[in-house]
Amino acid sequence: MVWLRKRGTRAVGLAAGTALALMTACGTGGSGDGEAGGREAKYKRVVEDPHPHPADVIEMAGAPYGVVGADDDSLLLTYEADNVEDDEGPAATAWRIVGPDGRTVAEHAEHANAEDVPPAFKGVRGGFVRVPRDEGAEGAWTLDVHGKRHKAVLTGTPLRTRSGDILLAEPEPTLIYRPATRTVAPPAGVPDDAIRLAVDERGTVWSLTQPLTADPNRVVWQRDARTLGSVAVPTPYTGGVLAARGGTAALSLIRGEGVRGLWMTTDDGAHWRTVLGGGIAWKDLKGGAEALVLELLTDGRLLVGEEGGRYWLADDRTNSAFHELRTPVKFTSFTVDGTTLYGIADATTSTYDLVKGEGLWISRDGGGAWRRYGQRG
């Protein structure tokens, strides 16, 4: 899954591994840093420049707002330098592709408006696909791992999901991407009252439905447009965020305004159970479904947490017991790829300065050790 927010409440997308170097400095920045006029003056020049340089946008942004990985371990990092003074006005965005050796392969920057949603990408076989926005077919395109742009086919004809399809966007519009044909389309057969979706690596679509009647929410799972099963969300809860991978599906349970537990299956929907404890301090998750981080590692373990808050990782694939992760700095967003953990430290409000430890942090041992992402060359 990918969430995008304005600077200060960023999210990070899925990422593959790459060459890493430990950053030895965690500078806090400031208006007196750097060249004549300071960081604030340079920041303003960059966002007002009609043709900004990628390196300048990246320097001013500090932390990426998104990171996604291709199948060859290349990364695409996305950055935004927003308007600090107002929700409107000039801004700048940039993307940079980094090869498996950690060196820059390609980069690009654009002048933007602060009120616009910055570009979002997902990693796919052979490169990266841009998540379409409101501009129709022009919004559907891909980048290969060398940075070359390719047109994607955006169609309104629903596709029957199959292995390899990925969820691009939901709930409105709901779109999947098929790498083999570079096709973006709605998935076929999804219930009309679906409000949340997840698509696993086998092409199974898991939907949370919200009936117009007083009936409870339901989880429905389908493949090739055929319904495989359906189960009611246990009362007194409603459903929140869905995650699915490898026969495991998990739904956050909402009561009132808060997340209070999980409803999950580990056997393709044959059996479901609730997790209302497990070592997770559910009362500390105060942001509801929109702030929840719910991710499945490839080994079957669940990661549960909240943007800007605390995070817990399951001890094993049964997902019955969790332990809290210790992080080097406070992460404003968090995700996983495979069994690798990725956290981003960023400001919570738009600012010219950098926060302590700002940037992308990576752990390959379940949160035991963290390294700050650094690029070679």
Side-chain angles (χ1 to χ4, degrees), residues 14-51:
L14 296 181
T18 189
L20 303 173
L22 182 62
M23 298 286 285
T24 57
C26 300
T28 58
S31 59
D33 292 351
E35 62 186 61
R39 179 178 172 82
E40 179 176 335
K42 182 174 182 180
Y43 193 108
K44 291 179 178 179
R45 288 196 296 272
V46 170
V47 299
E48 292 170 0
D49 189 341
H51 304 288

Side-chain angles (χ1 to χ4, degrees), residues 116-317:
D116 294 340
V117 176
F121 292 86
K122 284 201 172 182
V124 296
R125 186 174 67 249
F128 315 92
V129 58
R130 183 179 183 269
V131 178
R133 296 189 294 186
D134 299 330
E135 57 268 57
E138 293 301 316
W141 46 270
T142 67
L143 290 168
D144 62 29
V145 295
H146 306 293
K148 183 178 179 180
R149 181 166 160 167
H150 302 269
K151 185 178 180 180
V153 177
L154 181 61
T155 176
T157 303
L159 287 178
R160 293 174 177 263
T161 55
R162 66 189 190 195
S163 177
D165 291 347
I166 66 168
L167 181 66
L168 268 191
E170 56 91 22
E172 292 182 5
T174 299
L175 296 171
I176 60 170
Y177 177 72
R178 181 160 295 167
T181 57
R182 291 189 180 142
T183 302
V184 178
V190 173
D192 292 337
D193 54 359
I195 57 172
R196 294 276 184 176
L197 288 97
V199 179
D200 65 24
E201 73 281 2
R202 297 172 300 179
T204 305
V205 179
W206 301 78
S207 306
L208 172 66
T209 66
Q210 186 177 58
L212 296 177
T213 64
D215 293 338
N217 291 171
R218 299 189 70 85
V219 176
V220 180
W221 54 105
Q222 302 164 297
R223 191 181 302 133
D224 195 29
R226 295 177 300 170
T227 298
L228 304 177
S230 172
V231 64
V233 175
T235 56
Y237 305 102
T238 57
V241 176
L242 268 170
R245 181 189 291 271
T248 294
L251 173 74
S252 62
L253 295 175
I254 308 296
R255 186 173 185 181
E257 298 298 323
V259 180
R260 293 295 176 260
L262 297 172
W263 176 238
M264 71 166 58
T265 178
T266 57
D267 55 9
D268 294 302
H271 303 88
W272 291 78
R273 60 185 173 88
T274 56
V275 177
L276 303 178
I280 299 174
W282 298 105
K283 61 181 177 59
D284 289 346
L285 301 179
K286 304 181 186 300
E290 295 307 313
L292 186 72
V293 177
L294 184 64
E295 298 276 6
L296 268 163
L297 282 65
T298 51
D299 61 11
R301 290 180 295 163
L302 267 170
L303 175 89
V304 182
E306 189 169 67
E307 291 180 356
R310 302 166 67 184
Y311 301 91
W312 292 264
L313 181 64
D315 294 339
D316 54 48
R317 65 182 302 112

